[in-house]
Amino acid sequence: MRTRVHDLLAQAAATAAERPALTYKTSTVGYGELWGRTLSVGAQLAELGVEPGDRVAIYLEKRIETVIALFAASVAGGVFVPVNHVLKPAQVGHILRDSGARILITSADRLGQLTGELAGTAVAGVILVGEPADVSLGGPAVHRWSGDQPSTEVPPVRAIDVDPAAILYTSGSSGKPKGVVLSHRNLIVGAESVSSYLKNTADDVILSVLPLSFDAGLSQVTTAFSVGAHCVLMNYLLPRDVPRLCEQHGVTGITGVPPLWLQLAEVPWPEETAGRIRYWANTGGRMPRTVLDRLRSIFTSADPYLMYGLTEAFRSTYLDPAEVDRRPDSIGKAIPNAEVLVLRPDGTRCAPGEEGELVHRGALVALGYWNDPERTRERYRPVPHPGQEWRAPELAVWSGDTVVADEEGFLYFVGRTDEMIKTSGYRVSPSEIEEAAYGTGLVRDAVALGVEEPGLGHRVVLVATAAGDGLESTVLLGALRQVLPLYMVPSTIELRGELPRSPNGKFDRVLLKAQVSA
């Protein structure tokens, strides 16, 4: 029985010890060796005083030791806090302070960048990966990494599936990241659910290209482990590196976010490499129709999965590949072992075609926001059960996203409540304008924003990058006037060389809005 998230790894090691589990650069480790090394670090954490519920922060680039550290924290009874390796010291310091992490696992060069941030944190010990422990901080004790020597000892830790397992920090509109607390049950059920509809097997080779601090990125590892598949770790840098790694390792599955797929659709893919891809999946935002069509022409044998997920519920919906031709704009239906509702503000269900808030209930609903009961109460609220008033209150995630369901129950994303553009008495989804911009073929990236305008509500601003050289904003504006009603046409078009992205690879709408509003 899988009770804690490290059971995913332990069971794979017990049944297929010699199968490849992880590859990073030129190193590959099998499930048996990976589990033994994880037990070694788990024992080290226990020796350093990690107790059930203690937070263990991991600040490393994506590598085999990073994955070992995540699962070792679970072995020791701790709560792992993966920190995106692209974050700057001030951002890392915020996560360390906010999470109250007692142990930090990092490398010597990264630790050197954090010396000014450790003061005021609860970090009592640092484990260095890849370097001798000869760094003096004048505070936390520094220890050598023990994960190069496998162990067979399992620390005797009592925990159940609803106990906290991880804190994932996600950017919010307030600027500072907030920590979403996931239980062991969330992670295990999520891995089992996603692997079931993706039809993953031990024969799959899954490319991990998204950050492990991002729920969809972490899911690539847990999904692979749940079926004993092979996971290839990649620190994304250049788009052309992705086809190369896929060719080198025989990758069969890739999950990305729209900005990543926009880039991967433009690089050459060897026919044999593309033909080996069994599925590709999109999450983290709407896939532009032009990019969807381009990817389907590249991966002609692959099933496309259009997904929607919340860090607060790990994963929520997917569109069956058989429905992509009929409804390419849909985010599908609830994943296995979840229910997704479309509700009015009073909790009653919306009729087909009526816009409402997406509400997710079930085993994937996270435990709340770390150390923030007020925000937790706002987002995690009871869901009504008419006729079952005897039931204890069940908390669901009220997403803040507006969706609509058709007569057959397929869901369509309209927009985030706080991102909707209200102009000239109309409510406009940014994705409608962005889809029109992509449809012109003139832009590579596009983000539509609503900027406060007295008397109008919002004026529409489109920030974009050109698909080719020499594009003038007036040309793009003219093309949009041909396909959009007047109230949707941007009042301002700003062309840039690149658009800022969040550490998870999504377009940074908060930063862009601050820039265009200044």
Side-chain angles (χ1 to χ4, degrees):
M1 180 178 178
R2 294 167 168 175
T3 302
R4 292 190 288 161
V5 67
H6 64 262
D7 291 337
L8 296 172
L9 175 54
Q11 288 189 7
T15 57
E18 300 304 317
R19 290 191 69 91
L22 287 178
T23 291
Y24 176 60
K25 293 185 177 179
T26 59
S27 298
T28 297
V29 295
Y31 274 101
E33 179 186 351
L34 186 66
W35 175 233
R37 292 172 63 181
T38 299
L39 287 177
S40 179
V41 178
Q44 181 180 19
L45 291 171
E47 290 169 2
L48 293 178
V50 171
E51 297 182 351
D54 283 348
R55 277 75 64 204
V56 178
I58 298 105
Y59 180 43
L60 290 166
E61 70 276 18
K62 195 188 300 178
R63 54 195 286 181
I64 291 170
E65 291 86 353
T66 311
V67 177
I68 290 173
L70 298 174
F71 286 83
S74 173
V75 166
V79 178
F80 64 79
V81 184
V83 182
N84 196 317
H85 74 280
V86 304
L87 295 183
K88 301 302 183 184
Q91 297 167 306
V92 178
H94 164 72
I95 292 175
L96 293 177
R97 286 187 292 272
D98 188 73
S99 68
R102 290 196 61 238
I103 300 293
L104 170 64
I105 301 177
T106 188
S107 59
D109 57 336
R110 294 185 182 280
L111 181 61
Q113 301 169 22
L114 294 178
T115 52
E117 295 292 338
L118 290 178
T121 72
V123 174
V126 176
I127 298 176
L128 284 187
V129 172
E131 296 288 343
D134 56 0
V135 179
S136 176
L137 299 176
V142 179
H143 306 273
R144 294 177 183 270
W145 169 258
S146 69
D148 296 329
Q149 299 297 322
S151 172
T152 59
E153 297 293 326
V154 182
V157 177
R158 290 183 59 83
I160 61 175
D161 62 351
V162 294
D163 287 335
I167 303 176
L168 301 187
Y169 277 81
T170 178
S171 297
S173 57
S174 62
K176 288 196 174 182
K178 55 185 183 294
V180 177
V181 185
L182 301 175
S183 70
H184 292 278
R185 184 187 187 198
N186 295 151
L187 295 173
I188 293 170
V189 172
E192 293 172 344
S193 178
V194 174
S195 63
S196 71
Y197 70 74
L198 291 179
K199 303 179 179 66
N200 285 126
T201 71
D203 294 328
D204 273 315
V205 181
I206 299 171
L207 183 66
S208 169
V209 68
L210 299 173
L212 298 180
S213 56
F214 179 33
D215 61 309
L218 179 61
S219 179
Q220 305 314 295
V221 176
T222 57
T223 299
F225 287 3
S226 72
V227 296
H230 181 191
C231 185
V232 178
L233 304 175
M234 176 187 185
N235 292 299
Y236 181 77
L237 185 61
L238 297 172
R240 65 174 179 267
D241 292 335
V242 174
R244 179 180 58 79
L245 274 180
C246 290
E247 182 176 16
Q248 181 180 348
H249 298 291
V251 168
T252 62
I254 312 173
T255 296
V257 292
L260 173 64
W261 287 120
L262 287 168
Q263 294 177 325
L264 296 185
E266 295 181 351
V267 298
W269 284 81
E271 184 176 346
E272 184 177 351
T273 302
R276 196 180 291 115
I277 302 298
R278 186 178 65 76
Y279 71 87
W280 60 269
N282 177 67
T283 189
R286 184 176 178 180
M287 171 69 75
R289 185 81 62 87
T290 53
V291 181
L292 172 62
D293 293 341
R294 171 64 178 153
L295 291 170
R296 295 184 73 190
S297 72
I298 295 172
F299 306 116
T300 55
S301 303
D303 287 330
Y305 286 85
L306 306 181
M307 306 190 299
Y308 164 93
L310 295 164
T311 304
E312 292 84 353
F314 206 64
R315 188 71 39 225
S316 294
T317 73
Y318 80 99
L319 180 67
D320 188 314
E323 296 288 342
V324 170
D325 285 325
R326 294 179 58 201
R327 35 185 128 243
D329 296 326
S330 174
I331 59 173
K333 295 182 178 181
I335 68 172
N337 205 16
E339 184 177 21
V340 173
L341 308 172
V342 184
L343 301 183
R344 304 183 183 100
D346 63 1
T348 57
R349 299 198 181 200
C350 292
E354 179 185 358
E355 292 183 2
E357 184 172 357
L358 184 148
V359 178
H360 178 129
R361 61 178 293 259
L364 289 165
V365 173
L367 299 180
Y369 295 110
W370 174 256
N371 207 27
D372 195 338
E374 182 177 351
R375 183 174 280 165
T376 298
R377 284 191 295 270
E378 291 174 356
R379 187 67 73 201
Y380 295 86
R381 307 202 304 274
V383 63
H385 290 288
Q388 300 181 33
E389 285 73 19
W390 51 267
R391 291 183 60 161
E394 176 198 352
L395 296 184
V397 178
W398 295 66
S399 68
D401 289 343
T402 301
V403 297
V404 64
D406 64 18
E407 293 284 351
E408 297 179 59
F410 286 91
L411 298 165
Y412 296 81
F413 182 82
V414 177
R416 281 204 59 79
T417 302
D418 54 5
E419 290 175 358
M420 293 294 288
I421 299 171
K422 302 176 181 67
T423 181
S424 302
Y426 295 93
R427 294 175 72 252
V428 178
S429 168
S431 61
E432 291 184 79
I433 301 168
E434 293 158 5
E435 186 72 38
Y438 287 122
T440 67
L442 298 173
V443 303
R444 187 180 76 238
D445 305 323
V447 173
L449 303 163
V451 177
E452 295 291 341
E453 181 77 9
L456 186 66
H458 288 145
R459 61 183 175 89
V460 180
V461 176
L462 181 69
V463 188
T465 62
D469 295 330
L471 177 64
E472 297 287 340
S473 60
T474 53
V475 174
L476 177 56
L477 182 62
L480 290 174
R481 282 178 173 153
Q482 298 297 314
V483 295
L484 289 175
L486 183 60
Y487 67 87
M488 285 191 193
V489 174
S491 64
T492 304
I493 294 179
E494 183 178 324
L495 295 175
R496 298 188 181 186
E498 293 292 338
L499 300 190
R501 289 175 167 80
S502 72
N504 291 336
K506 302 177 186 179
F507 293 128
D508 194 333
R509 293 178 178 271
V510 174
L511 176 58
L512 278 170
K513 188 164 186 177
Q515 291 174 344
V516 301
S517 300

